[in-house]
Amino acid sequence: MRRASKKSSSSAATASAGPTKAVSKEVERIDQFFYAYADNSSGMIDPEGIETLCSHLEVPHTDVRILMLAWKMGCEKQGYFTLDEWRTGLKALRADSISKLKKAFPELVQEVTRPTNFQDFYTYAFRYCLTEDKKKCIEVPVACELLNLVLGLQFRPQVDKLNNYLKYQNDYKVINMDQWMGFIRFCNEINFPSLDNYDSDLAWPLILDNFVEWLRENRS
């Protein structure tokens, strides 16, 4: 009986080792993929490595899918991918090569644009652009690019008008998180272009009150 017990436990160990070995092989391939682009001295994929990765993916480094990839990895510093972040994102995407990462993009776009995820991605995009420690605002030109990239996916008419206003006005040089979140709330809640349900008494950021006033004055 003892011998049978040993055999069965040995078989179980072999069976359980199978998936573990497969997982470790997958991680090994993901790591090899990482080191093809990582800088030797920093041990990270830096901006130059990201540009090379983008050229191999045949997408510009400003493509929104690269920002989505950073979100999936949970990247903390703009323009840099650590090995742990890379593993997190690429294991989830089941991508250990350029061809597999390309194939994963449509699924990633679908995931990000789900209402349950999009708000988180939109918030992340702002934080990702805070390039210095303790920085709390992004410059207006950066905000315009980011709005175009992120919010323009779903709200193109509103974003075009908002960007026109931000480039026209002189009151604001930077955008903070409260204003940034006000933009997506505006797009989600306000009838556009009629603006008939916009109420300035409902605690909107002042920049949006000014934007709506500018829109109404400039109706053609």
Side-chain angles (χ1 to χ4, degrees), residues 91-128:
K91 277 173 73 177
L93 293 169
R94 302 177 301 283
D96 56 25
S97 67
I98 285 290
S99 60
K100 287 182 183 177
L101 188 50
K102 276 184 181 178
K103 286 177 184 173
F105 273 155
E107 184 184 329
L108 178 60
V109 172
Q110 271 191 336
E111 181 184 354
V112 169
T113 50
R114 282 188 206 117
T116 49
N117 291 327
F118 188 74
Q119 186 97 354
D120 183 65
F121 172 66
Y122 179 80
T123 307
Y124 171 82
F126 182 90
R127 291 202 178 107
Y128 189 62

PDB file of all heavy atoms in Angstrom, residues 91-128:
ATOM      1  N   LYS A  91       2.083  38.934 -19.639  1.00  0.00           N
ATOM      2  CA  LYS A  91       1.462  37.664 -19.201  1.00  0.00           C
ATOM      3  C   LYS A  91      -0.054  37.759 -19.361  1.00  0.00           C
ATOM      4  O   LYS A  91      -0.694  36.826 -19.823  1.00  0.00           O
ATOM      5  CB  LYS A  91       1.831  37.364 -17.751  1.00  0.00           C
ATOM      6  CG  LYS A  91       3.186  36.686 -17.591  1.00  0.00           C
ATOM      7  CD  LYS A  91       3.581  36.556 -16.136  1.00  0.00           C
ATOM      8  CE  LYS A  91       2.776  35.482 -15.417  1.00  0.00           C
ATOM      9  NZ  LYS A  91       3.226  35.313 -14.019  1.00  0.00           N
ATOM     10  N   ALA A  92      -0.613  38.911 -18.979  1.00  0.00           N
ATOM     11  CA  ALA A  92      -2.064  39.108 -19.104  1.00  0.00           C
ATOM     12  C   ALA A  92      -2.498  39.088 -20.567  1.00  0.00           C
ATOM     13  O   ALA A  92      -3.584  38.606 -20.898  1.00  0.00           O
ATOM     14  CB  ALA A  92      -2.473  40.424 -18.447  1.00  0.00           C
ATOM     15  N   LEU A  93      -1.639  39.602 -21.449  1.00  0.00           N
ATOM     16  CA  LEU A  93      -1.960  39.647 -22.881  1.00  0.00           C
ATOM     17  C   LEU A  93      -1.550  38.374 -23.622  1.00  0.00           C
ATOM     18  O   LEU A  93      -1.836  38.228 -24.809  1.00  0.00           O
ATOM     19  CB  LEU A  93      -1.264  40.846 -23.537  1.00  0.00           C
ATOM     20  CG  LEU A  93      -1.742  42.234 -23.102  1.00  0.00           C
ATOM     21  CD1 LEU A  93      -0.808  43.314 -23.622  1.00  0.00           C
ATOM     22  CD2 LEU A  93      -3.173  42.499 -23.562  1.00  0.00           C
ATOM     23  N   ARG A  94      -0.860  37.476 -22.907  1.00  0.00           N
ATOM     24  CA  ARG A  94      -0.346  36.220 -23.488  1.00  0.00           C
ATOM     25  C   ARG A  94       0.516  36.525 -24.721  1.00  0.00           C
ATOM     26  O   ARG A  94       0.350  35.933 -25.783  1.00  0.00           O
ATOM     27  CB  ARG A  94      -1.487  35.261 -23.845  1.00  0.00           C
ATOM     28  CG  ARG A  94      -2.372  34.894 -22.662  1.00  0.00           C
ATOM     29  CD  ARG A  94      -3.536  34.010 -23.038  1.00  0.00           C
ATOM     30  NE  ARG A  94      -4.404  34.612 -24.018  1.00  0.00           N
ATOM     31  CZ  ARG A  94      -5.300  35.561 -23.750  1.00  0.00           C
ATOM     32  NH1 ARG A  94      -5.447  36.003 -22.525  1.00  0.00           N
ATOM     33  NH2 ARG A  94      -6.051  36.054 -24.717  1.00  0.00           N
ATOM     34  N   ALA A  95       1.423  37.491 -24.547  1.00  0.00           N
ATOM     35  CA  ALA A  95       2.258  37.937 -25.664  1.00  0.00           C
ATOM     36  C   ALA A  95       3.737  37.835 -25.285  1.00  0.00           C
ATOM     37  O   ALA A  95       4.174  38.492 -24.341  1.00  0.00           O
ATOM     38  CB  ALA A  95       1.921  39.381 -26.035  1.00  0.00           C
ATOM     39  N   ASP A  96       4.472  37.006 -26.012  1.00  0.00           N
ATOM     40  CA  ASP A  96       5.907  36.874 -25.744  1.00  0.00           C
ATOM     41  C   ASP A  96       6.739  37.138 -27.002  1.00  0.00           C
ATOM     42  O   ASP A  96       7.896  36.743 -27.089  1.00  0.00           O
ATOM     43  CB  ASP A  96       6.233  35.491 -25.160  1.00  0.00           C
ATOM     44  CG  ASP A  96       5.755  34.340 -26.044  1.00  0.00           C
ATOM     45  OD1 ASP A  96       5.608  34.551 -27.263  1.00  0.00           O
ATOM     46  OD2 ASP A  96       5.527  33.235 -25.515  1.00  0.00           O
ATOM     47  N   SER A  97       6.114  37.816 -27.968  1.00  0.00           N
ATOM     48  CA  SER A  97       6.819  38.149 -29.212  1.00  0.00           C
ATOM     49  C   SER A  97       6.111  39.336 -29.863  1.00  0.00           C
ATOM     50  O   SER A  97       4.985  39.687 -29.490  1.00  0.00           O
ATOM     51  CB  SER A  97       6.811  36.954 -30.173  1.00  0.00           C
ATOM     52  OG  SER A  97       5.485  36.690 -30.612  1.00  0.00           O
ATOM     53  N   ILE A  98       6.780  39.932 -30.835  1.00  0.00           N
ATOM     54  CA  ILE A  98       6.191  41.054 -31.576  1.00  0.00           C
ATOM     55  C   ILE A  98       4.880  40.645 -32.236  1.00  0.00           C
ATOM     56  O   ILE A  98       3.869  41.350 -32.153  1.00  0.00           O
ATOM     57  CB  ILE A  98       7.184  41.600 -32.627  1.00  0.00           C
ATOM     58  CG1 ILE A  98       8.284  42.422 -31.959  1.00  0.00           C
ATOM     59  CG2 ILE A  98       6.478  42.440 -33.685  1.00  0.00           C
ATOM     60  CD1 ILE A  98       7.833  43.751 -31.386  1.00  0.00           C
ATOM     61  N   SER A  99       4.874  39.486 -32.886  1.00  0.00           N
ATOM     62  CA  SER A  99       3.667  39.065 -33.614  1.00  0.00           C
ATOM     63  C   SER A  99       2.495  38.852 -32.659  1.00  0.00           C
ATOM     64  O   SER A  99       1.364  39.241 -32.960  1.00  0.00           O
ATOM     65  CB  SER A  99       3.941  37.787 -34.419  1.00  0.00           C
ATOM     66  OG  SER A  99       4.341  36.732 -33.560  1.00  0.00           O
ATOM     67  N   LYS A 100       2.764  38.281 -31.491  1.00  0.00           N
ATOM     68  CA  LYS A 100       1.684  38.043 -30.520  1.00  0.00           C
ATOM     69  C   LYS A 100       1.201  39.351 -29.897  1.00  0.00           C
ATOM     70  O   LYS A 100       0.010  39.511 -29.619  1.00  0.00           O
ATOM     71  CB  LYS A 100       2.151  37.070 -29.431  1.00  0.00           C
ATOM     72  CG  LYS A 100       2.270  35.637 -29.909  1.00  0.00           C
ATOM     73  CD  LYS A 100       2.696  34.727 -28.768  1.00  0.00           C
ATOM     74  CE  LYS A 100       2.893  33.288 -29.258  1.00  0.00           C
ATOM     75  NZ  LYS A 100       3.381  32.409 -28.174  1.00  0.00           N
ATOM     76  N   LEU A 101       2.133  40.276 -29.692  1.00  0.00           N
ATOM     77  CA  LEU A 101       1.731  41.572 -29.136  1.00  0.00           C
ATOM     78  C   LEU A 101       0.873  42.340 -30.137  1.00  0.00           C
ATOM     79  O   LEU A 101      -0.124  42.965 -29.766  1.00  0.00           O
ATOM     80  CB  LEU A 101       2.973  42.384 -28.753  1.00  0.00           C
ATOM     81  CG  LEU A 101       2.746  43.695 -27.981  1.00  0.00           C
ATOM     82  CD1 LEU A 101       1.840  43.503 -26.777  1.00  0.00           C
ATOM     83  CD2 LEU A 101       4.076  44.297 -27.561  1.00  0.00           C
ATOM     84  N   LYS A 102       1.235  42.279 -31.408  1.00  0.00           N
ATOM     85  CA  LYS A 102       0.410  42.896 -32.457  1.00  0.00           C
ATOM     86  C   LYS A 102      -1.001  42.327 -32.439  1.00  0.00           C
ATOM     87  O   LYS A 102      -1.992  43.059 -32.527  1.00  0.00           O
ATOM     88  CB  LYS A 102       1.029  42.647 -33.837  1.00  0.00           C
ATOM     89  CG  LYS A 102       2.120  43.603 -34.253  1.00  0.00           C
ATOM     90  CD  LYS A 102       2.543  43.269 -35.683  1.00  0.00           C
ATOM     91  CE  LYS A 102       3.648  44.164 -36.181  1.00  0.00           C
ATOM     92  NZ  LYS A 102       4.067  43.798 -37.542  1.00  0.00           N
ATOM     93  N   LYS A 103      -1.093  40.988 -32.341  1.00  0.00           N
ATOM     94  CA  LYS A 103      -2.399  40.321 -32.344  1.00  0.00           C
ATOM     95  C   LYS A 103      -3.216  40.646 -31.101  1.00  0.00           C
ATOM     96  O   LYS A 103      -4.444  40.556 -31.115  1.00  0.00           O
ATOM     97  CB  LYS A 103      -2.205  38.805 -32.457  1.00  0.00           C
ATOM     98  CG  LYS A 103      -1.779  38.346 -33.846  1.00  0.00           C
ATOM     99  CD  LYS A 103      -1.528  36.849 -33.882  1.00  0.00           C
ATOM    100  CE  LYS A 103      -1.015  36.411 -35.259  1.00  0.00           C
ATOM    101  NZ  LYS A 103      -0.607  34.989 -35.266  1.00  0.00           N
ATOM    102  N   ALA A 104      -2.528  41.017 -30.007  1.00  0.00           N
ATOM    103  CA  ALA A 104      -3.221  41.316 -28.747  1.00  0.00           C
ATOM    104  C   ALA A 104      -3.815  42.722 -28.725  1.00  0.00           C
ATOM    105  O   ALA A 104      -4.680  43.023 -27.892  1.00  0.00           O
ATOM    106  CB  ALA A 104      -2.254  41.154 -27.569  1.00  0.00           C
ATOM    107  N   PHE A 105      -3.376  43.599 -29.637  1.00  0.00           N
ATOM    108  CA  PHE A 105      -3.829  44.993 -29.607  1.00  0.00           C
ATOM    109  C   PHE A 105      -5.348  45.156 -29.725  1.00  0.00           C
ATOM    110  O   PHE A 105      -5.945  45.926 -28.958  1.00  0.00           O
ATOM    111  CB  PHE A 105      -3.118  45.814 -30.678  1.00  0.00           C
ATOM    112  CG  PHE A 105      -1.798  46.399 -30.248  1.00  0.00           C
ATOM    113  CD1 PHE A 105      -0.813  46.700 -31.182  1.00  0.00           C
ATOM    114  CD2 PHE A 105      -1.535  46.670 -28.912  1.00  0.00           C
ATOM    115  CE1 PHE A 105       0.402  47.247 -30.793  1.00  0.00           C
ATOM    116  CE2 PHE A 105      -0.325  47.215 -28.513  1.00  0.00           C
ATOM    117  CZ  PHE A 105       0.646  47.495 -29.455  1.00  0.00           C
ATOM    118  N   PRO A 106      -6.022  44.482 -30.668  1.00  0.00           N
ATOM    119  CA  PRO A 106      -7.480  44.678 -30.766  1.00  0.00           C
ATOM    120  C   PRO A 106      -8.213  44.316 -29.469  1.00  0.00           C
ATOM    121  O   PRO A 106      -9.136  45.028 -29.056  1.00  0.00           O
ATOM    122  CB  PRO A 106      -7.884  43.740 -31.914  1.00  0.00           C
ATOM    123  CG  PRO A 106      -6.651  43.595 -32.738  1.00  0.00           C
ATOM    124  CD  PRO A 106      -5.515  43.629 -31.767  1.00  0.00           C
ATOM    125  N   GLU A 107      -7.770  43.240 -28.819  1.00  0.00           N
ATOM    126  CA  GLU A 107      -8.387  42.823 -27.550  1.00  0.00           C
ATOM    127  C   GLU A 107      -8.106  43.856 -26.456  1.00  0.00           C
ATOM    128  O   GLU A 107      -8.969  44.164 -25.637  1.00  0.00           O
ATOM    129  CB  GLU A 107      -7.809  41.462 -27.145  1.00  0.00           C
ATOM    130  CG  GLU A 107      -8.424  40.868 -25.887  1.00  0.00           C
ATOM    131  CD  GLU A 107      -7.755  39.556 -25.476  1.00  0.00           C
ATOM    132  OE1 GLU A 107      -7.279  38.807 -26.360  1.00  0.00           O
ATOM    133  OE2 GLU A 107      -7.697  39.298 -24.258  1.00  0.00           O
ATOM    134  N   LEU A 108      -6.893  44.420 -26.468  1.00  0.00           N
ATOM    135  CA  LEU A 108      -6.529  45.447 -25.484  1.00  0.00           C
ATOM    136  C   LEU A 108      -7.382  46.697 -25.667  1.00  0.00           C
ATOM    137  O   LEU A 108      -7.870  47.276 -24.689  1.00  0.00           O
ATOM    138  CB  LEU A 108      -5.038  45.784 -25.627  1.00  0.00           C
ATOM    139  CG  LEU A 108      -4.490  46.882 -24.714  1.00  0.00           C
ATOM    140  CD1 LEU A 108      -4.652  46.529 -23.244  1.00  0.00           C
ATOM    141  CD2 LEU A 108      -3.017  47.154 -25.034  1.00  0.00           C
ATOM    142  N   VAL A 109      -7.579  47.108 -26.909  1.00  0.00           N
ATOM    143  CA  VAL A 109      -8.414  48.283 -27.197  1.00  0.00           C
ATOM    144  C   VAL A 109      -9.846  48.042 -26.701  1.00  0.00           C
ATOM    145  O   VAL A 109     -10.459  48.920 -26.090  1.00  0.00           O
ATOM    146  CB  VAL A 109      -8.404  48.610 -28.709  1.00  0.00           C
ATOM    147  CG1 VAL A 109      -9.429  49.701 -29.035  1.00  0.00           C
ATOM    148  CG2 VAL A 109      -7.015  49.042 -29.159  1.00  0.00           C
ATOM    149  N   GLN A 110     -10.355  46.849 -26.959  1.00  0.00           N
ATOM    150  CA  GLN A 110     -11.706  46.496 -26.485  1.00  0.00           C
ATOM    151  C   GLN A 110     -11.791  46.573 -24.968  1.00  0.00           C
ATOM    152  O   GLN A 110     -12.761  47.093 -24.405  1.00  0.00           O
ATOM    153  CB  GLN A 110     -12.056  45.066 -26.918  1.00  0.00           C
ATOM    154  CG  GLN A 110     -12.710  44.990 -28.290  1.00  0.00           C
ATOM    155  CD  GLN A 110     -13.277  43.601 -28.560  1.00  0.00           C
ATOM    156  OE1 GLN A 110     -12.833  42.601 -27.981  1.00  0.00           O
ATOM    157  NE2 GLN A 110     -14.245  43.513 -29.430  1.00  0.00           N
ATOM    158  N   GLU A 111     -10.762  46.053 -24.298  1.00  0.00           N
ATOM    159  CA  GLU A 111     -10.744  46.049 -22.832  1.00  0.00           C
ATOM    160  C   GLU A 111     -10.742  47.463 -22.279  1.00  0.00           C
ATOM    161  O   GLU A 111     -11.502  47.791 -21.363  1.00  0.00           O
ATOM    162  CB  GLU A 111      -9.500  45.291 -22.340  1.00  0.00           C
ATOM    163  CG  GLU A 111      -9.404  45.219 -20.823  1.00  0.00           C
ATOM    164  CD  GLU A 111      -8.127  44.559 -20.328  1.00  0.00           C
ATOM    165  OE1 GLU A 111      -7.346  44.052 -21.171  1.00  0.00           O
ATOM    166  OE2 GLU A 111      -7.896  44.564 -19.110  1.00  0.00           O
ATOM    167  N   VAL A 112      -9.901  48.312 -22.840  1.00  0.00           N
ATOM    168  CA  VAL A 112      -9.772  49.690 -22.342  1.00  0.00           C
ATOM    169  C   VAL A 112     -11.043  50.491 -22.566  1.00  0.00           C
ATOM    170  O   VAL A 112     -11.447  51.284 -21.709  1.00  0.00           O
ATOM    171  CB  VAL A 112      -8.572  50.398 -23.015  1.00  0.00           C
ATOM    172  CG1 VAL A 112      -8.582  51.893 -22.711  1.00  0.00           C
ATOM    173  CG2 VAL A 112      -7.257  49.786 -22.549  1.00  0.00           C
ATOM    174  N   THR A 113     -11.686  50.290 -23.704  1.00  0.00           N
ATOM    175  CA  THR A 113     -12.850  51.114 -24.049  1.00  0.00           C
ATOM    176  C   THR A 113     -14.153  50.638 -23.402  1.00  0.00           C
ATOM    177  O   THR A 113     -15.187  51.275 -23.579  1.00  0.00           O
ATOM    178  CB  THR A 113     -13.023  51.197 -25.584  1.00  0.00           C
ATOM    179  OG1 THR A 113     -12.981  49.884 -26.151  1.00  0.00           O
ATOM    180  CG2 THR A 113     -11.917  52.027 -26.199  1.00  0.00           C
ATOM    181  N   ARG A 114     -14.096  49.543 -22.646  1.00  0.00           N
ATOM    182  CA  ARG A 114     -15.277  49.172 -21.869  1.00  0.00           C
ATOM    183  C   ARG A 114     -15.530  50.248 -20.815  1.00  0.00           C
ATOM    184  O   ARG A 114     -14.588  50.723 -20.179  1.00  0.00           O
ATOM    185  CB  ARG A 114     -15.049  47.830 -21.148  1.00  0.00           C
ATOM    186  CG  ARG A 114     -15.184  46.625 -22.042  1.00  0.00           C
ATOM    187  CD  ARG A 114     -15.137  45.328 -21.239  1.00  0.00           C
ATOM    188  NE  ARG A 114     -14.656  44.252 -22.073  1.00  0.00           N
ATOM    189  CZ  ARG A 114     -13.537  43.563 -21.861  1.00  0.00           C
ATOM    190  NH1 ARG A 114     -12.790  43.821 -20.811  1.00  0.00           N
ATOM    191  NH2 ARG A 114     -13.174  42.605 -22.686  1.00  0.00           N
ATOM    192  N   PRO A 115     -16.797  50.630 -20.610  1.00  0.00           N
ATOM    193  CA  PRO A 115     -17.094  51.689 -19.630  1.00  0.00           C
ATOM    194  C   PRO A 115     -16.493  51.426 -18.247  1.00  0.00           C
ATOM    195  O   PRO A 115     -16.074  52.362 -17.566  1.00  0.00           O
ATOM    196  CB  PRO A 115     -18.633  51.694 -19.571  1.00  0.00           C
ATOM    197  CG  PRO A 115     -19.047  51.173 -20.911  1.00  0.00           C
ATOM    198  CD  PRO A 115     -18.009  50.167 -21.306  1.00  0.00           C
ATOM    199  N   THR A 116     -16.423  50.159 -17.863  1.00  0.00           N
ATOM    200  CA  THR A 116     -15.884  49.821 -16.538  1.00  0.00           C
ATOM    201  C   THR A 116     -14.387  50.113 -16.429  1.00  0.00           C
ATOM    202  O   THR A 116     -13.867  50.308 -15.335  1.00  0.00           O
ATOM    203  CB  THR A 116     -16.116  48.323 -16.217  1.00  0.00           C
ATOM    204  OG1 THR A 116     -15.679  47.540 -17.348  1.00  0.00           O
ATOM    205  CG2 THR A 116     -17.581  48.045 -15.941  1.00  0.00           C
ATOM    206  N   ASN A 117     -13.684  50.144 -17.567  1.00  0.00           N
ATOM    207  CA  ASN A 117     -12.234  50.378 -17.558  1.00  0.00           C
ATOM    208  C   ASN A 117     -11.833  51.763 -18.053  1.00  0.00           C
ATOM    209  O   ASN A 117     -10.761  52.259 -17.688  1.00  0.00           O
ATOM    210  CB  ASN A 117     -11.521  49.340 -18.447  1.00  0.00           C
ATOM    211  CG  ASN A 117     -11.576  47.946 -17.869  1.00  0.00           C
ATOM    212  OD1 ASN A 117     -11.560  47.763 -16.656  1.00  0.00           O
ATOM    213  ND2 ASN A 117     -11.641  46.945 -18.739  1.00  0.00           N
ATOM    214  N   PHE A 118     -12.673  52.377 -18.865  1.00  0.00           N
ATOM    215  CA  PHE A 118     -12.251  53.590 -19.554  1.00  0.00           C
ATOM    216  C   PHE A 118     -11.957  54.738 -18.583  1.00  0.00           C
ATOM    217  O   PHE A 118     -10.989  55.486 -18.758  1.00  0.00           O
ATOM    218  CB  PHE A 118     -13.272  54.041 -20.597  1.00  0.00           C
ATOM    219  CG  PHE A 118     -12.771  55.176 -21.445  1.00  0.00           C
ATOM    220  CD1 PHE A 118     -11.818  54.950 -22.431  1.00  0.00           C
ATOM    221  CD2 PHE A 118     -13.212  56.473 -21.251  1.00  0.00           C
ATOM    222  CE1 PHE A 118     -11.318  55.985 -23.209  1.00  0.00           C
ATOM    223  CE2 PHE A 118     -12.715  57.520 -22.016  1.00  0.00           C
ATOM    224  CZ  PHE A 118     -11.773  57.267 -22.997  1.00  0.00           C
ATOM    225  N   GLN A 119     -12.781  54.876 -17.556  1.00  0.00           N
ATOM    226  CA  GLN A 119     -12.559  55.951 -16.569  1.00  0.00           C
ATOM    227  C   GLN A 119     -11.196  55.783 -15.895  1.00  0.00           C
ATOM    228  O   GLN A 119     -10.466  56.749 -15.679  1.00  0.00           O
ATOM    229  CB  GLN A 119     -13.666  55.933 -15.511  1.00  0.00           C
ATOM    230  CG  GLN A 119     -13.613  57.088 -14.524  1.00  0.00           C
ATOM    231  CD  GLN A 119     -14.538  58.232 -14.881  1.00  0.00           C
ATOM    232  OE1 GLN A 119     -15.165  58.215 -15.942  1.00  0.00           O
ATOM    233  NE2 GLN A 119     -14.623  59.219 -14.024  1.00  0.00           N
ATOM    234  N   ASP A 120     -10.849  54.535 -15.592  1.00  0.00           N
ATOM    235  CA  ASP A 120      -9.566  54.245 -14.958  1.00  0.00           C
ATOM    236  C   ASP A 120      -8.413  54.573 -15.913  1.00  0.00           C
ATOM    237  O   ASP A 120      -7.404  55.159 -15.516  1.00  0.00           O
ATOM    238  CB  ASP A 120      -9.504  52.770 -14.538  1.00  0.00           C
ATOM    239  CG  ASP A 120      -8.218  52.434 -13.804  1.00  0.00           C
ATOM    240  OD1 ASP A 120      -8.007  52.973 -12.702  1.00  0.00           O
ATOM    241  OD2 ASP A 120      -7.417  51.634 -14.332  1.00  0.00           O
ATOM    242  N   PHE A 121      -8.568  54.191 -17.175  1.00  0.00           N
ATOM    243  CA  PHE A 121      -7.551  54.479 -18.187  1.00  0.00           C
ATOM    244  C   PHE A 121      -7.387  55.991 -18.369  1.00  0.00           C
ATOM    245  O   PHE A 121      -6.262  56.502 -18.454  1.00  0.00           O
ATOM    246  CB  PHE A 121      -7.941  53.827 -19.523  1.00  0.00           C
ATOM    247  CG  PHE A 121      -7.067  54.223 -20.686  1.00  0.00           C
ATOM    248  CD1 PHE A 121      -5.736  53.862 -20.732  1.00  0.00           C
ATOM    249  CD2 PHE A 121      -7.598  54.959 -21.741  1.00  0.00           C
ATOM    250  CE1 PHE A 121      -4.927  54.241 -21.812  1.00  0.00           C
ATOM    251  CE2 PHE A 121      -6.801  55.334 -22.817  1.00  0.00           C
ATOM    252  CZ  PHE A 121      -5.468  54.975 -22.853  1.00  0.00           C
ATOM    253  N   TYR A 122      -8.499  56.715 -18.403  1.00  0.00           N
ATOM    254  CA  TYR A 122      -8.476  58.165 -18.572  1.00  0.00           C
ATOM    255  C   TYR A 122      -7.736  58.837 -17.409  1.00  0.00           C
ATOM    256  O   TYR A 122      -6.916  59.735 -17.620  1.00  0.00           O
ATOM    257  CB  TYR A 122      -9.918  58.677 -18.664  1.00  0.00           C
ATOM    258  CG  TYR A 122     -10.050  60.168 -18.828  1.00  0.00           C
ATOM    259  CD1 TYR A 122      -9.888  60.774 -20.073  1.00  0.00           C
ATOM    260  CD2 TYR A 122     -10.341  60.987 -17.733  1.00  0.00           C
ATOM    261  CE1 TYR A 122     -10.012  62.147 -20.228  1.00  0.00           C
ATOM    262  CE2 TYR A 122     -10.471  62.362 -17.878  1.00  0.00           C
ATOM    263  CZ  TYR A 122     -10.302  62.933 -19.124  1.00  0.00           C
ATOM    264  OH  TYR A 122     -10.422  64.298 -19.272  1.00  0.00           O
ATOM    265  N   THR A 123      -8.013  58.379 -16.182  1.00  0.00           N
ATOM    266  CA  THR A 123      -7.324  58.903 -14.993  1.00  0.00           C
ATOM    267  C   THR A 123      -5.837  58.570 -15.050  1.00  0.00           C
ATOM    268  O   THR A 123      -4.979  59.416 -14.752  1.00  0.00           O
ATOM    269  CB  THR A 123      -7.939  58.312 -13.711  1.00  0.00           C
ATOM    270  OG1 THR A 123      -9.350  58.523 -13.726  1.00  0.00           O
ATOM    271  CG2 THR A 123      -7.359  58.940 -12.459  1.00  0.00           C
ATOM    272  N   TYR A 124      -5.546  57.320 -15.433  1.00  0.00           N
ATOM    273  CA  TYR A 124      -4.155  56.864 -15.534  1.00  0.00           C
ATOM    274  C   TYR A 124      -3.369  57.716 -16.532  1.00  0.00           C
ATOM    275  O   TYR A 124      -2.212  58.085 -16.281  1.00  0.00           O
ATOM    276  CB  TYR A 124      -4.114  55.395 -15.962  1.00  0.00           C
ATOM    277  CG  TYR A 124      -2.721  54.906 -16.294  1.00  0.00           C
ATOM    278  CD1 TYR A 124      -1.853  54.497 -15.281  1.00  0.00           C
ATOM    279  CD2 TYR A 124      -2.259  54.882 -17.617  1.00  0.00           C
ATOM    280  CE1 TYR A 124      -0.556  54.074 -15.585  1.00  0.00           C
ATOM    281  CE2 TYR A 124      -0.969  54.468 -17.921  1.00  0.00           C
ATOM    282  CZ  TYR A 124      -0.130  54.065 -16.900  1.00  0.00           C
ATOM    283  OH  TYR A 124       1.152  53.665 -17.205  1.00  0.00           O
ATOM    284  N   ALA A 125      -3.977  58.041 -17.655  1.00  0.00           N
ATOM    285  CA  ALA A 125      -3.294  58.810 -18.700  1.00  0.00           C
ATOM    286  C   ALA A 125      -2.778  60.143 -18.159  1.00  0.00           C
ATOM    287  O   ALA A 125      -1.664  60.576 -18.483  1.00  0.00           O
ATOM    288  CB  ALA A 125      -4.232  59.040 -19.881  1.00  0.00           C
ATOM    289  N   PHE A 126      -3.582  60.784 -17.311  1.00  0.00           N
ATOM    290  CA  PHE A 126      -3.162  62.058 -16.712  1.00  0.00           C
ATOM    291  C   PHE A 126      -1.977  61.842 -15.781  1.00  0.00           C
ATOM    292  O   PHE A 126      -0.964  62.539 -15.866  1.00  0.00           O
ATOM    293  CB  PHE A 126      -4.336  62.692 -15.946  1.00  0.00           C
ATOM    294  CG  PHE A 126      -4.018  64.024 -15.325  1.00  0.00           C
ATOM    295  CD1 PHE A 126      -4.232  65.195 -16.041  1.00  0.00           C
ATOM    296  CD2 PHE A 126      -3.508  64.118 -14.040  1.00  0.00           C
ATOM    297  CE1 PHE A 126      -3.935  66.441 -15.479  1.00  0.00           C
ATOM    298  CE2 PHE A 126      -3.210  65.349 -13.459  1.00  0.00           C
ATOM    299  CZ  PHE A 126      -3.420  66.516 -14.187  1.00  0.00           C
ATOM    300  N   ARG A 127      -2.104  60.848 -14.893  1.00  0.00           N
ATOM    301  CA  ARG A 127      -1.024  60.590 -13.921  1.00  0.00           C
ATOM    302  C   ARG A 127       0.272  60.187 -14.626  1.00  0.00           C
ATOM    303  O   ARG A 127       1.368  60.548 -14.189  1.00  0.00           O
ATOM    304  CB  ARG A 127      -1.453  59.477 -12.945  1.00  0.00           C
ATOM    305  CG  ARG A 127      -2.578  59.917 -12.006  1.00  0.00           C
ATOM    306  CD  ARG A 127      -2.616  59.070 -10.744  1.00  0.00           C
ATOM    307  NE  ARG A 127      -3.675  59.550  -9.855  1.00  0.00           N
ATOM    308  CZ  ARG A 127      -4.811  58.909  -9.646  1.00  0.00           C
ATOM    309  NH1 ARG A 127      -5.043  57.761 -10.260  1.00  0.00           N
ATOM    310  NH2 ARG A 127      -5.713  59.382  -8.820  1.00  0.00           N
ATOM    311  N   TYR A 128       0.139  59.444 -15.709  1.00  0.00           N
ATOM    312  CA  TYR A 128       1.307  58.973 -16.466  1.00  0.00           C
ATOM    313  C   TYR A 128       2.094  60.148 -17.058  1.00  0.00           C
ATOM    314  O   TYR A 128       3.298  60.060 -17.259  1.00  0.00           O
ATOM    315  CB  TYR A 128       0.829  58.032 -17.579  1.00  0.00           C
ATOM    316  CG  TYR A 128       1.931  57.286 -18.308  1.00  0.00           C
ATOM    317  CD1 TYR A 128       2.775  56.396 -17.636  1.00  0.00           C
ATOM    318  CD2 TYR A 128       2.112  57.445 -19.680  1.00  0.00           C
ATOM    319  CE1 TYR A 128       3.765  55.700 -18.306  1.00  0.00           C
ATOM    320  CE2 TYR A 128       3.098  56.749 -20.367  1.00  0.00           C
ATOM    321  CZ  TYR A 128       3.923  55.882 -19.673  1.00  0.00           C
ATOM    322  OH  TYR A 128       4.901  55.193 -20.341  1.00  0.00           O
TER     323      TYR A 128
END
